[in-house]
């Protein structure tokens, strides 16, 4: 007998922003300069890694049509492997795509809920696409007044349009103006007041040219998150860099190593003192999987114990680093049998589940079966925690 999988709360899915978003939600005076979509012919899209990730050319004769975002000097084509649901695995390629070719659940809330119901998912938290995973697009913009308006417009759309009529099925996830910590604090408070208790943040802020968490620069932001019960959600790639090995390695190498960012970020936080200063702050690592967690906790505790004389953390972190992990940090997985075999060390109260809709890693529309195959041997109370209970606690949801 296998344990029945209860309805799932997915803590990591993705929104492909609809073409009207900023033209509808920006104040009138910003609309002309705000992000807009044009249908253009796009040449071959090549993965190069690093900050830019891809190269491509526009208006290539006989190139496939794609819907392309334009904002300041940024050109961003929508890509099929980012809106991959409904395509066969071998067709989930890095090629241009139009909204007409996408499954409507990628960008339309009612259609998303229908796809969730097909997939045994009760509630879903979605990360942005065009703004990137923590709003880097607007951090990099020249006009910061416009950029702030774009951040606020995205959050207004997220709360009022994407989630507004979903009866809790779609969970709001905000972005912040990363370039100003006081504005970031204010945006957390503004959104928490209307029921948004999750916010995107960079896994490694210095990679974006921002102060590190080893300073006190981010303390007003962390304080606001703690005071409003807002979870700090860090998706792999939210530092605008993906781990790589050889510079000419195929994209498969970066995809296999993506969890390295979460390892680095968690180590940063465990030795930063942030979790000491803010004991009720909650951190979530999205799409990082969980199998690596036992070793990094063991190593951090060992370094704390054996290297404290020179390690620079003796007066910052009074207890073994794993103490703060078990108290305040959540991992996330979609396929990780090794991690599930190590649940005692990972922490049964520290694990959440995702479907990664609509990306190539998604388990849609077979997530229930995938979950049964991985977790069906576990006791019902454990399965409940993994697929919904821990997520409800992390995201401050009023769900049983």
């Amino acid at each position: 007998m296998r344990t029945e999988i209860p309805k799932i709360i997915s803590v990591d899915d993705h929104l492909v922003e609809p073409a009207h978003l900023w033209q509808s939600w920006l104040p009138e005076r910003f609309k002309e300069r705000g992000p807009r979509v044009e249908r253009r012919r796009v040449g071959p899209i090549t993965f190069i890694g690093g900050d830019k990730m891809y190269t491509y050319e526009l208006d290539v004769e006989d190139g496939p049509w794609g819907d392309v975002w334009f904002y300041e000097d940024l050109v961003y084509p929508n890509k099929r492997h980012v809106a991959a649901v409904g395509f066969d695995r071998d067709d989930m390629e890095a090629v241009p795509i139009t909204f007409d070719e996408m499954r409507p659940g990628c960008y339309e809330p009612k259609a998303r809920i229908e796809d969730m119901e097909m997939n045994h998912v009760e509630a879903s938290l979605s990360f942005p696409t065009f703004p990137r995973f923590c709003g880097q697009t607007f951090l990099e913009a020249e006009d910061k007044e416009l950029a702030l308006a774009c951040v606020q417009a995205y959050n207004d759309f997220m709360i009022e349009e994407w989630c507004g009529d979903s009866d809790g099925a779609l969970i709001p996830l905000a972005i912040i103006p990363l370039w100003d910590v006081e504005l970031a604090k204010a945006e957390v408070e503004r959104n928490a007041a209307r029921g948004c208790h999750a916010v995107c943040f960079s896994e490694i802020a210095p990679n974006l040219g921002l102060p590190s968490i080893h300073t006190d620069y981010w303390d007003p932001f962390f304080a606001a998150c703690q005071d409003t019960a807002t979870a700090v959600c860090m998706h792999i790639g939210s530092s605008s860099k993906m781990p790589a090995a050889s510079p000419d390695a195929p994209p498969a190498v970066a995809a296999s190593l993506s969890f390295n960012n979460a390892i680095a970020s968690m180590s940063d936080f465990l030795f930063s003192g942030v979790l000491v200063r803010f004991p009720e702050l909650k951190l979530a690592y999205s799409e990082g999987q969980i199998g690596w967690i036992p070793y990094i906790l063991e190593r951090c505790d060992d370094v704390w114990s054996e290297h404290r004389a020179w390690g620079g953390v003796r007066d910052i972190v009074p207890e073994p680093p794993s103490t703060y992990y078990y108290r305040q940090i959540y991992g996330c997985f979609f396929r990780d049998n090794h991690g599930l075999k190590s649940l005692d060390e990972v922490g049964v109260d520290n694990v959440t589940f995702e479907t990664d809709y609509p990306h190539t890693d998604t388990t849609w529309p077979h997530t229930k079966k995938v979950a049964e195959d991985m977790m069906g041997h576990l006791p019902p109370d454990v399965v409940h925690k993994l697929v919904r209970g821990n997520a409800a606690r992390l995201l401050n949801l009023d769900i049983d």
Side-chain angles (χ1 to χ4, degrees):
M1 293 292 294
R2 295 206 292 184
T3 296
E4 177 70 18
I5 304 298
K7 293 293 286 290
I8 293 161
I9 300 174
S10 175
V11 302
D12 175 29
D13 295 313
H14 298 269
L15 161 68
V16 178
E17 293 78 20
H20 71 265
L21 193 158
W22 283 278
Q23 296 305 308
S24 294
W25 287 92
L26 275 172
E28 197 63 38
R29 66 193 181 96
F30 291 118
K31 288 181 179 179
E32 185 176 349
R33 294 180 292 127
R36 69 189 190 282
V37 170
E38 295 180 11
R39 185 158 295 182
R40 306 280 282 273
R41 289 192 181 274
V42 183
I45 296 176
T46 303
F47 176 85
I48 59 171
D51 294 350
K52 292 186 177 179
M53 294 297 287
Y54 301 93
T55 60
Y56 35 78
E57 293 183 22
L58 289 186
D59 303 323
V60 174
E61 186 176 357
D62 297 328
W65 290 103
D67 283 334
V68 182
W69 285 99
F70 292 87
Y71 170 61
E72 292 193 341
D73 61 353
L74 175 64
V75 179
Y76 179 92
N78 281 320
K79 295 172 279 291
R80 188 192 294 171
H81 71 301
V82 175
V85 287
F87 292 95
D88 291 336
R89 284 287 170 193
D90 288 336
D91 293 327
M92 294 180 178
E93 298 175 315
V95 295
I97 192 171
T98 67
F99 285 102
D100 297 333
E101 296 170 310
M102 294 180 200
R103 192 172 180 88
C106 294
Y107 58 86
E108 203 283 317
K110 290 183 180 178
R112 173 64 65 91
I113 293 171
E114 291 172 1
D115 281 355
M116 289 163 54
E117 290 172 351
M118 290 173 55
N119 200 33
H120 199 62
V121 174
E122 179 176 344
S124 165
L125 184 82
S126 287
F127 283 82
T129 298
F130 172 74
R132 312 221 297 277
F133 291 145
C134 67
Q136 301 102 297
T137 292
F138 302 117
L139 168 67
E140 295 165 1
E142 289 293 327
D143 185 336
K144 286 299 189 287
E145 182 186 21
L146 172 59
L148 176 60
C150 287
V151 167
Q152 293 172 336
Y154 177 87
N155 292 334
D156 293 343
F157 159 84
M158 167 62 63
I159 294 169
E160 298 180 37
E161 182 176 333
W162 181 252
C163 300
D165 295 328
S166 72
D167 196 25
L170 299 174
I171 305 164
L173 175 61
I175 58 176
I176 55 172
L178 289 159
W179 59 92
D180 186 315
V181 70
E182 291 299 329
L183 291 176
K185 170 181 179 290
E187 192 62 11
V188 167
E189 294 169 343
R190 182 176 83 96
N191 295 313
R194 47 191 184 156
C196 178
H197 295 284
V199 64
C200 301
F201 189 61
S202 175
E203 59 204 352
I204 307 170
N207 282 353
L208 305 180
L210 298 168
S212 96
I213 59 169
H214 298 284
T215 70
D216 61 1
Y217 175 83
W218 295 104
D219 280 9
F221 166 70
F222 292 136
C225 292
Q226 175 174 262
D227 293 346
T228 60
T230 296
V232 176
C233 301
M234 294 173 284
H235 196 283
I236 57 168
S238 56
S239 58
S240 293
K241 291 185 179 179
M242 295 297 285
S246 304
D248 56 349
V253 174
S256 300
L257 296 175
S258 59
F259 68 96
N260 283 9
N261 281 353
I263 295 176
S265 178
M266 186 183 293
S267 301
D268 238 7
F269 269 99
L270 289 177
F271 283 120
S272 68
V274 168
L275 301 178
V276 179
R277 297 195 300 277
F278 302 102
E280 296 179 15
L281 182 68
K282 293 179 288 187
L283 307 181
Y285 285 97
S286 302
E287 207 170 311
Q289 312 304 326
I290 58 174
W292 52 270
I293 291 175
Y295 175 71
I296 199 62
L297 293 179
E298 177 183 337
R299 178 59 182 163
C300 286
D301 281 358
D302 193 47
V303 167
W304 179 86
S305 174
E306 304 299 326
H307 300 268
R308 59 181 176 269
W310 70 274
V313 295
R314 179 168 50 189
D315 299 324
I316 298 172
V317 184
E319 299 179 77
S322 62
T323 305
Y324 308 102
Y325 165 80
Y326 289 117
R327 188 177 73 188
Q328 295 172 253
I329 299 180
Y330 295 77
C332 171
F333 77 105
F334 50 84
R335 291 187 185 94
D336 193 337
N337 288 298
H338 176 72
L340 289 172
K341 291 176 183 176
S342 308
L343 263 183
D344 286 347
E345 291 82 16
V346 176
V348 72
D349 294 318
N350 300 83
V351 177
T352 58
F353 192 55
E354 64 166 284
T355 79
D356 199 30
Y357 182 109
H359 286 183
T360 50
D361 263 323
T362 186
T363 50
W364 183 91
H366 308 297
T367 301
K368 184 178 181 182
K369 185 180 185 307
V370 171
E372 286 174 345
D373 291 345
M374 284 192 297
M375 295 179 268
H377 64 288
L378 297 172
D381 62 322
V382 172
V383 172
H384 186 278
K385 286 184 177 184
L386 300 185
V387 304
R388 63 182 289 116
N390 293 339
R393 182 160 45 90
L394 166 69
L395 299 171
N396 200 33
L397 303 178
D398 186 18
I399 295 177
D400 66 278

